[in-house]
Amino acid sequence: MLTTPSVDLTNCDREPIHIPGSIQPHGCLLSCDPAITTVRRYSANAPEMLGVQQRLEGLSIADLFGADVTHDIRNAIAAAPDASRPAVIAHLPLANGQHFDVAVHRQIQGAILEFEPSLRRTQPLQLAREMIGRVKDINDIDLLITASAKLVRAVLGYDRVMIYRFEEDGSGKVASEAKRHDLESFLGQYFPATDIPRQARILYMQNPIRVISDARGLRVDLLPATEEQAAPLDLSFAHLRSVSPIHCEYLRNMGVAASMSISVIVNDKLWGLIACHHYAPKTLTMSERIAAEMFGEFFSLHLLALKQKRKLDIANEARRSLDRFLQAASHHTDLDEILTTALPEFQSLFACDGVGMWMNGRWTAIGATPPRGSEVDLARFIGEVANGRIWSTNTLSEDYPPASDYFEDVSGIMAVPLSQIPRDYLFFFRKERLQTLNWAGNPEKTYETGPLGDRLTPRKSFAIWKETVQRQATPWRDSDFEIAEAIRSAIVEIVLRHNEVMHEERSKSDVRQRMLNEELNHRVKNILAVIKSLVTFPTQDQVPIQDYIGSLRGRIHALSHAHDQLTRGGGGGTLNDLLDAELLPYRAGRSTIVVKGPSATLDARAHAVAALVIHELCTNAAKYGALSRDGGSLTVTWQEVDGGDCLLHWSETGGPPVGPIGRKGFGSALIDRSIPYDLGGTSRLEYRPDGLDAEFCLPGRFLTWESEPAQEEKPPVPESKFVEGPASIAGLEVLLVEDQVLIAMDAEMMLADAGIDTVITASSSSDALNRLKTFTPSIAVLDINLGRDTSVPVAEELVRRGIPFVFATGYDDRSVVPDELLSVPVVRKPYDATALVRALADRLANAASE
């Protein structure tokens, strides 16, 4: 006694659609023994369609078709033994005068022959070639999908062609559509996973093309019925296999009368279908069917190639971004700063809405991330579940319930460990994918009782049913994990390098500290010695004290300028400028200084070494040599020699007699050893009785030679161009903006000596702006840099009120000054009374002429 199993939502999955016991009526079928000698089973319409007036069971194939046709059939099946690839014979003539397209394939128990009436001879290869030629050069996945739907409809003539892509949850989305103009569109709609049961998906993988010529579900039974009931014939690979009544009803509910589907198989998985609908019965010829099958296989391969190309492009772009990150990181030792700066670069590697970093108990984030205060518990949870590996989810609130408080901003997360210790992580976040899925009908099927009893009834209405998917983010794909792994590898490399650098730095820190202390001590002694030499009272009684004071002020001013040039030359510079800067303090004396040579630019390393050596040479010359007394002479020349090297000659004469040289001091050792040790050059020092004669060779790889020679003596460059000013500025009211009180007091005394009694001093821009509310000066002196502030706001206010002013600075940096104020004259600090008064007088004269 047969029983009917109880009905539930998996009934469709258990329907034996591969052994329906019947076929579609647009052809007939014969089942034979493996040798194709005798008919075992046949479809009920086979005698009439083949022109035979008797039962076919047990009939000889040779008697039925004749020797020639039998021979062709046996040769065809021998050439195609795989059941999934039936042999085909197009337009085969039979004894009754009809032509048939024949498909033959083997089974374990025998062979199956399918006959379809053939009206004309067509060439499936030519048709497939034309279809493939239309899309083979397309290099974009979306364009391929769109163009293919239009192409299939144009060639095969269906009313609607859709390319249907499966999602990860089994549901399907209509990715592209070509349709008759009067039909509603299914483009972008989702179909539930239950529309294609599990066993149907298996058959789509086995048999890549499926044609339903008439959705009314007309069926032709297989005979003999008793044998078919006892051992149903497996029709998995038969084109004529009849259709499930449930599926036919599904199609009729949609108004579809005929359909065809082509499987799209990518990486041995069912990626989707090319689904064709027609609103009247439609039968494809075998040639059209073969061409469609070949096109489907090419489409699958081309789609796979484009997906691989897209994956490779994404990987290459990620690698380029990581290379930029590694290159930038190679110049830094602060790991936190490196990774914090790189967060925007990481975010651009794949689709995410925010990036966060938890490192050493500190949280840094950009974009859509968990709210402040929740990162500690989240990092602790990730550390427990990830265990030092990459971990991800697209339903964070399910895995971590506290995330329910912010699921709209963060529903997906990928955590990438920054080290082997499960403590520090880089987080990538995705927002909730709050999307309305346009399902073609309610995905929940209903039960109905009908003539066949309890069965699963397809949906009767296909009005759009909307399902809102909440608390889920877009799933992370395989390519995302590959990029995350690349990021992890790059970060681990940086962390390892950072640890190595830190270890090396720790081992060298004591040595560097000792060297720094010794160098600082030496520099302080040199500075004190220079100052002592500058303030020494002149030995000649005839030198007036005022001349001496003026000379001293000039030397201190020049020394300040030279010191600024040396300390700000970290990026390299010309040899001539370096010598001029170091020798500038000594040009105010009565010594003769000659500097001559072609223009040569030193790179940063050579500039630093040369600055140190020349500084020591100048200091020693000022303490013991030609620059220590009037009448001394110093000549510095250089020239380019073979290989682009620079040969520099230092010659002193007229200084105190040079006696025997005992133990060398630290400065002398630096002069003698720095260039050979740091640059691989040479040095020669000869202490002659009349003065030092030295020669140094700087390797050419550190220099760039210019074509035009440098001038022997550069005329002093005026700090600003002034017209002739008034003879006196006595009685003016001056605003002085200066943050150093001693310098301000010195300037006030200079201005008082010039007859200016009203000097209002401000130490910051805000202080100056407040004083301008009640005080209108005749002119102002503005120090450009005021510690943490600048005087630019004050300058802009003075321009607005039409009050003239000059800038003051201790070094050549006007980068903070707006372009419209670059023409304002500049006074050098430390202030020189004559220069300061002259600048104010000429600035007032300029303002009056304007």
Side-chain angles (χ1 to χ4, degrees):
M1 177 177 178
L2 296 175
T3 59
T4 302
S6 60
V7 177
D8 58 34
L9 289 177
T10 63
N11 259 9
C12 282
D13 287 343
R14 294 199 296 269
E15 185 181 6
I17 59 177
H18 63 298
I19 50 173
S22 59
I23 66 169
Q24 298 182 64
H26 62 275
C28 65
L29 180 144
L30 302 179
S31 174
C32 308
D33 60 290
I36 311 183
T37 58
T38 307
V39 177
R40 291 180 174 177
R41 298 184 197 179
Y42 58 94
S43 61
N45 62 345
E48 179 182 358
M49 188 170 290
L50 298 177
V52 180
Q53 302 299 324
Q54 63 186 77
R55 292 176 59 86
L56 301 183
E57 181 183 1
L59 188 64
S60 168
I61 294 295
D63 292 341
L64 179 60
F65 296 118
D68 291 341
V69 172
T70 302
H71 178 74
D72 290 342
I73 292 175
R74 288 173 178 170
N75 283 344
I77 198 170
D82 187 359
S84 63
R85 289 285 185 178
V88 296
I89 307 173
H91 212 62
L92 179 67
L94 297 187
N96 62 358
Q98 289 183 285
H99 290 77
F100 287 87
D101 292 327
V102 184
V104 187
H105 63 263
R106 291 186 183 275
Q107 288 185 310
I108 296 177
Q109 66 270 38
I112 290 180
L113 313 180
E114 297 180 87
F115 294 84
E116 299 173 65
S118 175
L119 302 179
R120 62 187 183 276
R121 181 185 296 274
T122 56
Q123 295 295 330
L125 291 178
Q126 180 63 28
L127 183 59
R129 180 182 179 184
E130 292 177 0
M131 294 178 69
I132 291 172
R134 298 292 182 89
V135 297
K136 66 181 181 63
D137 294 327
I138 296 178
N139 293 318
D140 180 78
I141 292 178
D142 296 332
L143 184 58
L144 173 67
I145 292 173
T146 300
S148 296
K150 295 178 180 178
L151 178 63
V152 172
R153 180 170 185 265
V155 173
L156 300 183
Y158 281 92
D159 291 330
R160 185 198 306 270
V161 176
M162 301 171 289
I163 295 186
Y164 179 89
R165 184 187 67 218
F166 292 118
E167 300 291 317
E168 293 188 4
D169 60 0
S171 62
K173 179 182 179 181
V174 179
S176 71
E177 178 186 53
K179 66 180 183 66
R180 206 174 67 197
H181 68 89
D182 58 328
L183 298 176
E184 63 176 336
S185 176
F186 290 164
L187 183 63
Q189 292 187 12
Y190 283 78
F191 290 76
T194 51
D195 276 7
I196 303 179
R198 177 182 55 84
Q199 78 276 26
R201 295 176 188 245
I202 294 174
L203 288 179
Y204 280 128
M205 290 289 294
Q206 294 176 340
N207 199 348
I209 191 164
R210 174 65 163 151
V211 175
I212 300 174
S213 59
D214 193 338
R216 289 177 296 177
L218 302 178
R219 304 158 66 95
V220 179
D221 293 335
L222 296 181
L223 303 176
T226 54
E227 293 186 13
E228 180 61 25
Q229 291 175 357
L233 188 64
D234 187 351
L235 298 181
S236 296
F237 299 102
H239 161 67
L240 293 174
R241 171 170 51 88
S242 63
V243 187
S244 162
I246 296 177
H247 187 62
C248 287
E249 188 174 353
Y250 178 94
L251 292 176
R252 292 197 299 270
N253 287 338
M254 296 179 69
V256 175
S259 71
M260 180 190 72
S261 61
I262 305 171
S263 302
V264 180
I265 300 172
V266 176
N267 283 333
D268 297 325
K269 293 182 179 179
L270 189 62
W271 178 89
L273 299 172
I274 301 177
C276 306
H277 288 174
H278 206 63
Y279 292 85
K282 180 178 178 64
T283 302
L284 287 185
T285 66
M286 178 181 288
S287 297
E288 292 173 325
R289 196 167 67 245
I290 292 174
E293 182 179 354
M294 295 175 65
F295 175 79
E297 291 180 351
F298 173 81
F299 178 87
S300 299
L301 292 173
H302 196 28
L303 178 63
L304 173 61
L306 293 182
K307 287 171 66 69
Q308 294 289 359
K309 179 180 179 297
R310 176 183 287 181
K311 182 178 179 181
L312 180 62
D313 290 343
I314 293 173
N316 288 337
E317 180 57 34
R319 175 49 58 189
R320 284 192 291 269
S321 296
L322 291 176
D323 286 344
R324 291 193 296 269
F325 164 66
L326 290 172
Q327 184 177 4
S330 64
H331 303 293
H332 296 79
T333 57
D334 189 332
L335 187 60
D336 285 358
E337 181 183 356
I338 293 170
L339 296 178
T340 300
T341 305
L343 290 184
E345 188 84 11
F346 291 150
Q347 186 177 14
S348 67
L349 293 181
F350 51 74
C352 64
D353 300 300
V355 180
M357 182 178 68
W358 177 261
M359 187 170 185
N360 297 326
R362 188 167 64 91
W363 175 251
T364 307
I366 59 173
T369 59
R372 177 64 66 177
S374 62
E375 66 275 1
V376 177
D377 293 336
L378 178 61
R380 185 182 298 112
F381 166 75
I382 295 298
E384 295 173 354
V385 298
N387 195 26
R389 296 187 296 269
I390 295 175
W391 185 84
S392 70
T393 180
N394 67 319
T395 55
L396 179 61
S397 58
E398 294 183 6
D399 300 287
Y400 179 61
S404 298
D405 296 336
Y406 47 86
F407 68 87
E408 292 181 348
D409 291 326
V410 176
S411 282
I413 184 174
M414 178 177 287
V416 180
L418 299 181
S419 64
Q420 296 298 326
I421 302 175
R423 179 191 63 186
D424 301 331
Y425 284 89
L426 185 66
F427 298 98
F428 297 90
F429 300 107
R430 283 181 176 172
K431 292 182 177 181
E432 176 197 30
R433 184 181 64 173
L434 185 59
Q435 63 177 354
T436 300
L437 303 182
N438 293 329
W439 297 90
N442 189 327
E444 298 296 333
K445 296 180 180 179
T446 58
Y447 302 109
E448 285 189 4
T449 301
L452 301 179
D454 288 339
R455 68 182 181 89
L456 215 55
T457 303
R459 299 179 297 281
K460 298 290 173 67
S461 171
F462 284 85
I464 299 299
W465 184 86
K466 299 180 183 296
E467 179 189 32
T468 301
V469 178
Q470 290 184 328
R471 299 175 185 263
Q472 295 184 20
T474 301
W476 304 97
R477 300 184 180 275
D478 291 341
S479 58
D480 297 329
F481 286 97
E482 293 176 1
I483 294 173
E485 181 60 36
I487 293 175
R488 189 194 69 82
S489 299
I491 292 177
V492 168
E493 181 178 342
I494 293 298
V495 171
L496 291 176
R497 176 186 172 279
H498 176 263
N499 291 338
E500 292 174 356
V501 170
M502 291 299 295
H503 177 73
E504 183 179 354
E505 287 297 319
R506 282 192 296 269
S507 66
K508 294 180 178 179
S509 60
D510 291 340
V511 176
R512 286 202 304 269
Q513 187 64 45
R514 287 195 299 269
M515 290 292 294
L516 178 62
N517 290 339
E518 189 174 356
E519 172 68 11
L520 180 61
N521 181 54
H522 175 74
R523 286 299 182 95
V524 170
K525 288 181 178 179
N526 278 346
I527 292 173
L528 293 175
V530 171
I531 294 175
K532 180 180 179 181
S533 67
L534 291 178
V535 301
T536 300
F537 195 84
T539 57
Q540 296 86 352
D541 294 335
Q542 66 273 20
V543 177
I545 189 63
Q546 292 300 328
D547 292 349
Y548 166 73
I549 294 174
S551 176
L552 178 60
R553 282 180 174 174
R555 290 185 178 186
I556 293 176
H557 185 280
L559 181 63
S560 172
H561 183 69
H563 176 74
D564 175 67
Q565 293 297 317
L566 290 173
T567 56
R568 297 173 63 82
T574 67
L575 180 58
N576 190 271
D577 289 343
L578 179 59
L579 285 163
D580 283 349
E582 186 61 47
L583 291 170
L584 190 60
Y586 311 106
R587 292 186 184 274
R590 298 182 181 179
S591 300
T592 300
I593 300 176
V594 177
V595 177
K596 185 176 182 180
S599 180
T601 301
L602 306 174
D603 70 5
R605 180 177 178 182
H607 189 276
V609 174
L612 179 63
V613 171
I614 293 172
H615 175 77
E616 295 299 330
L617 287 168
C618 292
T619 301
N620 287 349
K623 290 193 295 185
Y624 317 114
L627 303 183
S628 65
R629 62 161 57 173
D630 292 342
S633 177
L634 169 64
T635 301
V636 184
T637 61
W638 65 94
Q639 60 182 330
E640 182 180 3
V641 296
D642 294 342
D645 295 349
C646 176
L647 191 64
L648 184 144
H649 186 240
W650 178 285
S651 178
E652 298 181 30
T653 59
V658 178
I661 302 299
R663 178 179 176 271
K664 291 184 178 180
F666 184 77
S668 298
L670 284 178
I671 296 172
D672 191 24
R673 299 180 59 189
S674 293
I675 291 178
Y677 185 83
D678 290 326
L679 303 180
T682 62
S683 64
R684 177 188 62 80
L685 277 74
E686 185 178 350
Y687 295 94
R688 299 174 179 175
D690 57 342
L692 173 66
D693 187 84
E695 190 174 82
F696 305 94
C697 182
L698 285 74
R701 63 180 180 275
F702 299 108
L703 294 96
T704 302
W705 294 95
E706 305 295 335
S707 57
E708 297 182 0
Q711 297 296 321
E712 177 179 348
E713 293 291 341
K714 294 182 179 179
V717 179
E719 294 173 358
S720 59
K721 295 182 180 179
F722 297 113
V723 300
E724 186 66 27
S728 173
I729 58 172
L732 297 179
E733 296 181 333
V734 178
L735 171 65
L736 174 64
V737 181
E738 171 61 59
D739 62 326
Q740 298 293 327
V741 62
L742 295 179
I743 297 176
M745 292 171 62
D746 190 26
E748 289 174 0
M749 293 175 61
M750 294 178 185
L751 294 174
D753 292 340
I756 298 177
D757 297 325
T758 305
V759 179
I760 301 299
T761 303
S763 60
S764 65
S765 61
S766 59
D767 185 15
L769 292 173
N770 285 332
R771 292 184 180 274
L772 286 173
K773 294 177 181 179
T774 57
F775 172 63
T776 302
S778 305
I779 195 168
V781 181
L782 310 180
D783 185 10
I784 295 178
N785 286 281
L786 302 171
R788 298 182 180 180
D789 194 7
T790 73
S791 60
V792 172
V794 184
E796 292 173 342
E797 175 63 18
L798 293 175
V799 170
R800 189 184 68 82
R801 296 171 61 172
I803 300 174
F805 61 93
V806 297
F807 281 127
T809 182
Y811 48 85
D812 267 337
D813 185 5
R814 303 176 70 186
S815 59
V816 299
V817 178
D819 292 342
E820 61 270 17
L821 298 179
L822 290 177
S823 61
V824 175
V826 176
V827 180
R828 297 292 176 190
K829 295 166 56 179
Y831 294 116
D832 175 80
T834 302
L836 178 59
V837 172
R838 178 69 179 182
L840 295 179
D842 289 348
R843 180 58 175 150
L844 285 168
N846 271 339
S849 66
E850 292 173 359

